[in-house]
Coordinates of all heavy atoms in Angstrom, one line a residue:
S17 N 45.6 39.6 92.4 CA 45.2 38.7 91.3 C 45.5 37.2 91.6 O 44.8 36.3 91.1 CB 45.8 39.1 90.0 OG 47.2 38.9 90.1
E18 N 46.4 36.9 92.4 CA 46.8 35.5 92.8 C 47.4 35.6 94.2 O 47.8 36.7 94.7 CB 47.9 35.0 91.8 CG 47.6 35.0 90.4 CD 46.9 33.7 89.9 OE1 47.0 32.7 90.7 OE2 46.3 33.8 88.8
P19 N 47.6 34.4 94.8 CA 48.3 34.4 96.1 C 49.7 35.0 96.0 O 50.3 34.9 94.9 CB 48.3 33.0 96.5 CG 47.2 32.4 95.7 CD 47.1 33.1 94.4
V20 N 50.2 35.5 97.1 CA 51.6 35.9 97.2 C 52.2 35.3 98.4 O 51.5 34.7 99.3 CB 51.7 37.5 97.4 CG1 51.1 38.2 96.2 CG2 51.0 38.0 98.7
I21 N 53.5 35.3 98.5 CA 54.3 34.8 99.6 C 54.9 36.0 100.3 O 55.7 36.7 99.7 CB 55.4 33.8 99.2 CG1 54.9 32.7 98.4 CG2 56.2 33.3 100.5 CD1 53.9 31.8 99.0
V22 N 54.5 36.3 101.5 CA 55.1 37.3 102.3 C 56.1 36.7 103.2 O 55.9 35.6 103.8 CB 54.1 38.2 103.1 CG1 53.2 39.0 102.1 CG2 53.2 37.4 104.0
Q23 N 57.3 37.3 103.4 CA 58.3 36.6 104.2 C 59.3 37.6 104.8 O 59.4 38.8 104.3 CB 59.1 35.6 103.4 CG 59.7 36.1 102.1 CD 60.2 35.0 101.2 OE1 59.6 33.9 101.1 NE2 61.2 35.2 100.4
V24 N 60.0 37.2 105.8 CA 61.0 38.0 106.5 C 62.3 37.2 106.2 O 62.4 36.0 106.5 CB 60.7 38.1 108.0 CG1 61.8 38.9 108.6 CG2 59.4 38.8 108.2
L25 N 63.3 38.0 105.7 CA 64.6 37.4 105.5 C 65.6 38.0 106.4 O 65.5 39.2 106.8 CB 65.1 37.7 104.0 CG 64.1 37.3 102.9 CD1 64.6 37.9 101.6 CD2 63.9 35.8 102.9
E26 N 66.6 37.2 106.9 CA 67.5 37.7 107.9 C 68.9 37.4 107.4 O 69.2 36.3 106.8 CB 67.3 37.0 109.2 CG 68.2 37.4 110.3 CD 67.9 36.7 111.6 OE1 68.3 35.6 111.8 OE2 67.2 37.4 112.5
G27 N 69.9 38.2 107.6 CA 71.3 38.0 107.3 C 72.1 39.2 107.4 O 71.6 40.3 107.7
E28 N 73.4 39.1 107.2 CA 74.3 40.2 107.2 C 73.9 41.2 106.1 O 73.9 40.7 104.9 CB 75.8 39.8 107.1 CG 76.3 39.0 108.2 CD 76.5 39.8 109.5 OE1 76.8 41.0 109.4 OE2 76.2 39.3 110.6
G29 N 73.6 42.4 106.4 CA 73.3 43.4 105.4 C 72.1 42.9 104.5 O 72.1 43.1 103.3
A30 N 71.1 42.3 105.2 CA 70.0 41.7 104.5 C 69.2 42.6 103.5 O 68.8 42.1 102.4 CB 69.0 41.1 105.5
I31 N 69.1 43.8 103.8 CA 68.3 44.7 102.9 C 69.1 44.9 101.6 O 68.5 44.7 100.5 CB 68.1 46.1 103.6 CG1 67.1 45.9 104.8 CG2 67.5 47.1 102.6 CD1 67.0 47.1 105.7
S32 N 70.4 45.3 101.7 CA 71.1 45.4 100.4 C 71.3 44.1 99.7 O 71.3 44.1 98.5 CB 72.4 46.2 100.7 OG 73.2 45.4 101.6
R33 N 71.6 43.1 100.4 CA 71.8 41.8 99.8 C 70.5 41.3 99.1 O 70.6 40.9 97.9 CB 72.2 40.7 100.8 CG 72.5 39.4 100.2 CD 73.2 38.5 101.1 NE 74.5 39.1 101.5 CZ 75.3 38.6 102.4 NH1 75.0 37.5 103.0 NH2 76.5 39.1 102.7
N34 N 69.4 41.5 99.7 CA 68.1 41.1 99.0 C 67.9 41.9 97.8 O 67.5 41.4 96.7 CB 66.9 41.3 100.0 CG 65.6 40.9 99.4 OD1 65.5 39.9 98.6 ND2 64.6 41.7 99.7
R35 N 68.2 43.2 97.8 CA 68.0 44.1 96.7 C 69.0 43.7 95.5 O 68.6 43.7 94.4 CB 68.2 45.5 97.0 CG 67.0 45.9 98.0 CD 66.9 47.4 98.3 NE 66.4 48.1 97.2 CZ 65.2 48.2 96.7 NH1 64.2 47.5 97.3 NH2 64.9 49.0 95.7
E36 N 70.2 43.2 95.9 CA 71.1 42.7 94.9 C 70.6 41.4 94.2 O 70.6 41.3 93.0 CB 72.5 42.4 95.5 CG 73.3 43.6 95.8 CD 74.5 43.3 96.6 OE1 75.0 42.1 96.5 OE2 75.0 44.2 97.3
V37 N 70.1 40.5 95.0 CA 69.5 39.2 94.5 C 68.3 39.5 93.7 O 68.1 38.8 92.7 CB 69.2 38.3 95.7 CG1 68.5 37.0 95.2 CG2 70.5 37.9 96.4
M38 N 67.5 40.5 94.0 CA 66.3 40.7 93.2 C 66.6 41.3 91.9 O 66.0 40.9 90.9 CB 65.4 41.8 93.9 CG 64.7 41.2 95.1 SD 63.4 42.4 95.8 CE 64.2 43.9 95.9
G39 N 67.6 42.2 91.8 CA 67.9 42.9 90.5 C 67.1 44.1 90.3 O 66.2 44.4 91.1
A40 N 67.4 44.9 89.3 CA 66.7 46.1 89.0 C 65.2 45.9 88.7 O 64.8 44.8 88.2 CB 67.4 46.7 87.7
T41 N 64.4 46.9 89.0 CA 63.0 46.8 88.9 C 62.6 46.4 87.4 O 61.7 45.5 87.2 CB 62.3 48.1 89.3 OG1 62.6 48.4 90.6 CG2 60.8 48.0 89.1
N42 N 63.2 47.0 86.5 CA 63.0 46.7 85.1 C 63.9 45.5 84.7 O 65.1 45.6 84.8 CB 63.4 47.9 84.2 CG 63.0 47.6 82.7 OD1 62.9 46.5 82.3 ND2 62.8 48.7 82.0
P43 N 63.3 44.3 84.4 CA 64.1 43.1 84.2 C 65.1 43.3 83.0 O 66.1 42.6 83.0 CB 63.0 42.1 83.8 CG 61.8 42.8 83.6 CD 61.8 44.1 84.2
V44 N 64.8 44.2 82.1 CA 65.8 44.5 81.0 C 67.1 45.0 81.6 O 68.2 44.8 81.1 CB 65.2 45.5 80.0 CG1 66.2 45.9 79.0 CG2 64.0 44.9 79.4
D45 N 67.0 45.8 82.7 CA 68.2 46.4 83.4 C 68.8 45.5 84.5 O 69.8 45.8 85.0 CB 67.8 47.7 84.0 CG 67.3 48.7 82.9 OD1 67.8 48.6 81.8 OD2 66.5 49.5 83.3
A46 N 68.1 44.4 84.8 CA 68.6 43.5 85.9 C 69.8 42.7 85.5 O 69.9 42.2 84.4 CB 67.4 42.6 86.3
A47 N 70.7 42.6 86.4 CA 72.0 41.8 86.2 C 71.6 40.3 86.0 O 70.7 39.8 86.6 CB 72.9 42.0 87.3
E48 N 72.4 39.7 85.1 CA 72.3 38.3 84.9 C 72.3 37.5 86.2 O 73.1 37.8 87.1 CB 73.4 37.8 84.0 CG 73.3 36.4 83.5 CD 74.3 36.0 82.5 OE1 74.8 36.9 81.7 OE2 74.7 34.8 82.5
G49 N 71.5 36.5 86.3 CA 71.4 35.7 87.5 C 70.5 36.2 88.6 O 70.3 35.5 89.6
T50 N 70.1 37.4 88.5 CA 69.1 38.0 89.5 C 67.7 37.4 89.3 O 67.4 36.9 88.2 CB 69.1 39.5 89.5 OG1 68.6 40.0 88.3 CG2 70.5 40.1 89.8
I51 N 66.9 37.5 90.3 CA 65.5 37.0 90.2 C 64.8 37.7 89.1 O 64.1 37.0 88.3 CB 64.8 37.2 91.6 CG1 65.4 36.3 92.7 CG2 63.3 37.0 91.4 CD1 65.0 36.7 94.1
R52 N 64.9 39.0 89.0 CA 64.1 39.7 88.0 C 64.6 39.4 86.6 O 63.8 39.3 85.6 CB 64.0 41.2 88.3 CG 63.2 41.5 89.5 CD 63.2 42.9 89.9 NE 62.2 43.2 90.9 CZ 62.3 44.1 91.8 NH1 63.4 44.9 91.8 NH2 61.4 44.3 92.7
A53 N 65.9 39.3 86.4 CA 66.5 38.9 85.1 C 66.0 37.6 84.7 O 65.7 37.4 83.5 CB 68.0 39.0 85.1
E54 N 65.9 36.6 85.6 CA 65.5 35.3 85.2 C 64.0 35.1 85.2 O 63.5 34.3 84.3 CB 66.1 34.3 86.2 CG 67.5 34.1 86.1 CD 68.1 32.9 86.9 OE1 67.4 32.0 87.2 OE2 69.2 33.1 87.4
F55 N 63.2 35.7 86.0 CA 61.8 35.4 86.2 C 60.8 36.4 85.9 O 59.6 36.1 85.6 CB 61.5 34.8 87.6 CG 62.4 33.7 88.0 CD1 63.2 33.8 89.2 CD2 62.5 32.5 87.2 CE1 64.0 32.7 89.6 CE2 63.3 31.5 87.6 CZ 64.1 31.6 88.8
A56 N 61.1 37.7 85.9 CA 60.2 38.8 85.7 C 59.6 38.7 84.3 O 60.3 38.4 83.4 CB 60.8 40.1 86.0

């Protein structure tokens, strides 16, 4: 429906760290400060 940004992230434990930063799929369940809690 709109453009997207595809990207590769690198870091120590990048997969789990990214998933923590994103937050739970359902924004209602996402921890405060995560991307999904703030923006979804």
Side-chain angles (χ1 to χ4, degrees):
S17 67
E18 302 274 343
V20 298
I21 306 297
V22 293
Q23 55 193 31
V24 180
L25 307 174
E26 182 180 79
E28 293 292 323
I31 295 167
S32 61
R33 185 166 298 173
N34 181 39
R35 295 190 69 75
E36 288 173 21
V37 172
M38 288 190 311
T41 302
N42 186 338
V44 173
D45 300 328
E48 187 175 327
T50 62
I51 293 168
R52 289 176 173 152
E54 288 189 32
F55 304 126

